Amino acid sequence: MCFSGVMGISKGSVWSVRFSSIALCAWVHGDPRKVVYPTDSSGQFCGQKDTINENKTILFYFNILKCASPIVLINLQCPTTQLCVSKCPDRFATYIDMQGSYRHNKSYWEYYRQFCKPGFNKPWKVRIYTYISIDVLKRCFPDFSTKNGILTVANQTTFKDGRGKTRNVTDLREAANGINNVLDARSVGMKIFEDYASSWHWILIGLFIAMIVSLLFLVLLRFTAGVLFWIFILGVIGIIGYGIWHCYWEYDHLQGTPGSDLTIYDIGFQTDFRVYLQLRQTWLAFMIILCIVEVFIILMLIFLRNRIRIAIALLQEGSRAIGYIMSTLFYPIITFVLIAICISYWAVTAVFLSTSGEPVYKVMANQTLCKYANLTCDPETFNTTNVTKLCVGAQCTFAFYGGESFYHKYIFIFQLSNAFVFLWLVNFAIALGQCTLAGAFASYYWAFRKPADIPPCPLFSSFGRAIRYHTGSLAFGSLILAIVQLIRIILEYLDHKLKGTQNSFTRFLLCCLKCCFWCLEKFIKFINRNAYIMIAIYGKNFCTSAKEAFFLLMRNVVRVAVLDKVTDFLLFLGKLLVAGGVGVLAFFFFTHRIPVFTQETPTLNYYWVPLLTVIIGSYLIAHGFFSVYAMCVDTLFLCFCEDLERNDGSTAKPYYMSASLHRILGKKELSPKKAMG
């Protein structure tokens, strides 16, 4: 058994061993070649050398109608008997037709038997049907065509299945689509691979440009953070002011117009909303709303001006800190590599789990006369058993893909466990990065003379402390977040399954649960992020650090809100600048609209492939750089709040904050030695 080695393991490591056992069992039982190459019901690959299928390179489905089942996407196999053949059928035929013509024309049976199992010589027991089909990715698919808007197969709209029942060709289309959902990606993937092969160096150039622009934006924030913010605020005030003037102009212009003095209540609800724009009351309401918003923004700026100045000063201080510890900008590469490893582990294990199914054969016989009916059997040795003697006419036929062992019965649970491990590992990699960066930037803030007192190699030292002392705390915080995320995935799965239900209460309850767990995930991410900062500063455990960080933020809740919004705006502006600017440049390049580079531009199947890669890559690069910056600002803010509570600016307890923050707060002047730093 795959899980026998779990017994006797210490309690602290039993979960890691169990999850490793799942991966080990998947790698032992699975075969990822089944994703690419067709296999028959015996597990033999079609066209494989030195086998009976060496000259049979195409896969034929006994009952393709079963391929419309969702199990095709789960097990990557169609739940029907599959056979390797040398060519696809070129005629409609059923066992009834074959039996009728068998006595008169045995050549019909010779054609038909190539779609039966090897060694089968009992035409009166045939239970399959064939349809005119073509080779598509080494699989036999119905030869669909459209005639006068009607779907046909070889100019026919109906066919007879293996039981004499007349079926519509749309049933074949639905079944073929079940397999095509798995196979179509291969054809598109080949073209995408060709595009990447011819444009990869230009993609790298675009990503390099995005990296340079992101770096310049962060460096310039030291000088432009305040300017950008106030330009934006003044722009918003100006736009709202123009809106107030326009509403007043419309209100005054409609004076004396027939019908304009009616109220909204008088005309009631109208589907044409332009009717409301002909009323003076509408423009008066718009003007009042905009005036309230304008006054609110101006009052907020007046009463929160010092907090806004602190937020801008912290943003500038963050840019200065990154300038002193430039190595932090490249730490996201480590996080990216760790997450890539996690994704690879999850994907490989998921593929092996999906391909672990084995063909299961059962005895097909009359249940009232044979006690062996529906029992598992072995097709290789079935004819040598007593079953054929006790149950006349019994056959060992293919039933489904799967297995009878403990491992095969719980494949879905293992897939769920694999997804949980993936979430846990990804969250741990992110937590490790946050704690490492927080430790590096905290060493900058708590240096009394900057940059002279900054310890050497602060990033490397912080990474070592996180690995050596804080692994348990980071894993615990990641575990809590992974559990919530897994519950959200399960709720999304249930919502997808219950979409067709008419039970309004169930849909309402599910919607409420999804909303609650979404909010819970956001809250836990916020708590975890600040807890990791406190862990990096003081080295306490996760629960203590989370509690202290939460109450520290609650004592400075207004500052938190202002800093969060100012930071979000500037980073959003930066991401938009980087991804949008580089994306526009890539669009003009890959669509041959830059005359200077027309000759160098590669010929592509889909120009959007490298374009989307550059845009998404640029966004991820900008997000990587700016996530470092956001972590820097959050760390400096918590250090700043701690500095205010622990120190009073006296000689015995001097502030560690920068001179600019000191001036904004109106505190005592820094000591000469600190001011020089």
Side-chain angles (χ1 to χ4, degrees):
M1 292 292 293
C2 290
F3 299 96
S4 59
V6 174
M7 303 303 295
I9 302 297
S10 63
K11 206 169 189 179
S13 58
V14 66
W15 284 107
S16 61
V17 173
R18 285 178 178 174
F19 292 140
S20 301
S21 300
I22 292 174
L24 182 61
C25 287
W27 297 340
V28 169
H29 291 280
D31 189 351
R33 292 180 299 172
K34 293 179 181 179
V35 179
V36 181
Y37 302 105
T39 57
D40 62 13
S41 296
S42 301
Q44 297 288 334
F45 290 97
C46 297
Q48 188 175 16
K49 292 184 178 181
D50 300 324
T51 65
I52 58 174
N53 295 329
E54 182 174 1
N55 297 321
K56 301 176 180 180
T57 59
I58 307 173
L59 190 67
F60 172 73
Y61 300 93
F62 271 35
N63 187 358
I64 196 174
L65 297 177
K66 292 186 178 181
C67 297
S69 170
I71 198 172
V72 176
L73 299 177
I74 298 174
N75 293 331
L76 301 179
Q77 290 285 357
C78 182
T80 184
T81 304
Q82 302 170 27
L83 184 71
C84 295
V85 296
S86 57
K87 64 177 183 178
C88 293
D90 57 6
R91 68 184 75 168
F92 280 105
T94 68
Y95 79 99
I96 297 176
D97 298 332
M98 188 277 303
Q99 290 175 350
S101 60
Y102 175 69
R103 301 184 185 91
H104 309 290
N105 186 6
K106 292 190 176 182
S107 63
Y108 193 93
W109 162 243
E110 293 301 325
Y111 170 80
Y112 199 88
R113 70 185 300 175
Q114 65 179 316
F115 303 108
C116 299
K117 297 178 181 178
F120 187 84
N121 293 304
K122 300 177 180 179
W124 56 89
K125 291 185 178 181
V126 175
R127 290 295 184 271
I128 67 170
Y129 63 92
T130 64
Y131 45 86
I132 299 176
S133 54
I134 56 175
D135 176 8
V136 179
L137 299 176
K138 297 300 180 182
R139 274 88 170 173
C140 291
F141 283 95
D143 187 10
F144 292 112
S145 61
T146 303
K147 187 175 182 180
N148 296 327
I150 300 175
L151 184 67
T152 64
V153 174
N155 295 324
Q156 296 188 35
T157 58
T158 60
F159 67 98
K160 291 184 178 180
D161 62 14
R163 302 182 184 277
K165 183 179 179 181
T166 301
R167 308 290 291 267
N168 195 288
V169 295
T170 54
D171 296 334
L172 287 176
R173 167 58 65 85
E174 293 176 2
N177 285 340
I179 309 174
N180 278 333
N181 290 334
V182 178
L183 300 180
D184 282 352
R186 184 181 178 186
S187 176
V188 176
M190 292 300 296
K191 293 182 179 179
I192 292 176
F193 179 79
E194 293 174 359
D195 289 342
Y196 278 128
S198 58
S199 63
W200 64 269
H201 50 289
W202 294 108
I203 294 175
L204 291 180
I205 292 174
L207 298 180
F208 179 76
I209 294 174
M211 184 180 68
I212 297 299
V213 174
S214 301
L215 183 59
L216 288 175
F217 184 84
L218 288 181
V219 173
L220 293 176
L221 273 181
R222 184 188 308 184
F223 312 102
T224 61
V227 176
L228 289 175
F229 177 78
W230 288 115
I231 288 176
F232 173 75
I233 291 297
L234 293 176
V236 170
I237 292 175
I239 291 172
I240 295 176
Y242 171 78
I244 294 172
W245 174 84
H246 182 75
C247 291
Y248 174 77
W249 183 86
E250 291 284 356
Y251 175 80
D252 184 68
H253 182 71
L254 289 174
Q255 187 175 6
T257 303
S260 63
D261 290 327
L262 293 174
T263 64
I264 297 176
Y265 179 79
D266 292 334
I267 65 173
F269 176 77
Q270 300 291 329
T271 56
D272 187 1
F273 291 101
R274 290 175 296 180
V275 174
Y276 298 107
L277 299 180
Q278 307 302 320
L279 303 179
R280 299 184 71 206
Q281 188 184 62
T282 302
W283 292 104
L284 179 62
F286 285 161
M287 184 173 63
I288 293 174
I289 293 172
L290 289 177
C291 286
I292 294 174
V293 173
E294 185 87 333
V295 171
F296 177 77
I297 292 177
I298 293 174
L299 290 176
M300 290 287 289
L301 291 175
I302 293 173
F303 289 106
L304 298 178
R305 62 187 184 279
N306 282 335
R307 289 180 172 84
I308 293 174
R309 291 173 63 198
I310 292 173
I312 294 173
L314 283 172
L315 291 170
Q316 294 171 336
E317 190 69 15
S319 179
R320 189 176 295 109
I322 289 176
Y324 288 131
I325 315 176
M326 290 291 292
S327 57
T328 55
L329 289 175
F330 301 98
Y331 184 84
I333 297 176
I334 298 177
T335 302
F336 173 79
V337 171
L338 293 176
I339 293 178
I341 294 173
C342 296
I343 294 174
S344 301
Y345 168 83
W346 166 78
V348 170
T349 305
V351 169
F352 272 92
L353 283 171
S354 298
T355 56
S356 336
E358 300 173 351
V360 176
Y361 295 84
K362 291 185 178 292
V363 176
M364 184 68 65
N366 192 324
Q367 295 185 10
T368 59
L369 301 177
C370 180
K371 64 179 181 179
Y372 297 102
N374 291 327
L375 295 181
T376 305
C377 58
D378 183 359
E380 300 293 334
T381 60
F382 180 74
N383 292 329
T384 62
T385 63
N386 293 328
V387 177
T388 54
K389 298 178 181 178
L390 298 174
C391 303
V392 179
Q395 301 178 53
C396 184
T397 60
F398 171 81
F400 57 87
Y401 273 96
E404 300 293 331
S405 67
F406 172 85
Y407 168 77
H408 289 98
K409 288 180 179 179
Y410 293 94
I411 287 289
F412 179 76
I413 301 299
F414 295 153
Q415 288 281 25
L416 207 60
S417 301
N418 184 42
F420 175 72
V421 174
F422 167 71
L423 294 173
W424 193 359
L425 292 177
V426 168
N427 288 323
F428 179 80
I430 295 173
L432 178 62
Q434 292 175 341
C435 188
T436 299
L437 292 172
F441 293 125
S443 65
Y444 164 83
Y445 185 93
W446 298 112
F448 192 72
R449 294 178 302 170
K450 302 176 179 62
D453 291 344
I454 299 176
C457 303
L459 182 67
F460 181 78
S461 300
S462 179
F463 181 78
R465 290 193 300 270
I467 291 293
R468 184 176 180 181
Y469 300 111
H470 310 318
T471 305
S473 296
L474 301 180
F476 182 68
S478 305
L479 174 65
I480 296 173
L481 184 57
I483 292 173
V484 174
Q485 290 173 336
L486 183 65
I487 294 174
R488 286 196 63 203
I489 292 175
I490 295 174
L491 290 175
E492 290 291 344
Y493 174 78
L494 293 176
D495 183 47
H496 178 73
K497 286 294 184 181
L498 298 175
K499 271 188 177 179
T501 183
Q502 300 299 321
N503 193 327
S504 301
F505 176 76
T506 302
R507 295 201 305 270
F508 172 75
L509 180 62
L510 201 57
C511 184
C512 291
L513 288 173
K514 287 169 60 179
C515 179
C516 291
F517 277 96
W518 179 84
C519 295
L520 180 61
E521 181 184 359
K522 294 296 181 183
F523 177 74
I524 290 176
K525 283 183 176 180
F526 174 77
I527 291 297
N528 283 6
R529 182 183 180 89
N530 291 282
Y532 299 149
I533 295 174
M534 299 300 284
I535 289 172
I537 296 173
Y538 294 110
K540 298 180 181 179
N541 61 53
F542 176 82
C543 294
T544 303
S545 299
K547 182 186 70 173
E548 293 181 354
F550 178 76
F551 287 112
L552 179 62
L553 293 172
M554 289 301 99
R555 292 193 294 270
N556 298 272
V557 63
V558 179
R559 288 173 177 164
V560 171
V562 173
L563 178 66
D564 185 60
K565 296 308 174 187
V566 173
T567 305
D568 286 347
F569 161 69
L570 289 177
L571 296 187
F572 170 76
L573 189 65
K575 292 176 184 178
L576 189 65
L577 173 66
V578 174
V582 177
V584 169
L585 181 63
F587 173 78
F588 281 106
F589 176 78
F590 289 116
T591 55
H592 302 267
R593 300 190 183 186
I594 302 179
V596 180
F597 296 101
T598 303
Q599 299 297 327
E600 288 78 8
T601 304
T603 302
L604 304 169
N605 295 306
Y606 311 112
Y607 76 87
W608 52 264
V609 170
L611 176 61
L612 286 180
T613 304
V614 170
I615 293 175
I616 296 173
S618 299
Y619 178 84
L620 292 177
I621 288 174
H623 178 74
F625 278 109
F626 297 162
S627 64
V628 172
Y629 183 76
M631 196 69 199
C632 177
V633 173
D634 290 345
T635 302
L636 294 180
F637 176 72
L638 280 181
C639 292
F640 169 74
C641 295
E642 279 285 294
D643 195 11
L644 287 177
E645 293 189 357
R646 290 170 48 184
N647 303 311
D648 56 11
S650 63
T651 305
K653 294 182 178 180
Y655 289 119
Y656 285 80
M657 67 186 71
S658 65
S660 58
L661 284 170
H662 205 275
R663 286 192 296 270
I664 292 172
L665 291 174
K667 300 293 183 179
K668 298 176 182 178
E669 288 297 324
L670 293 170
S671 62
K673 184 182 292 186
K674 177 77 179 289
M676 289 175 61

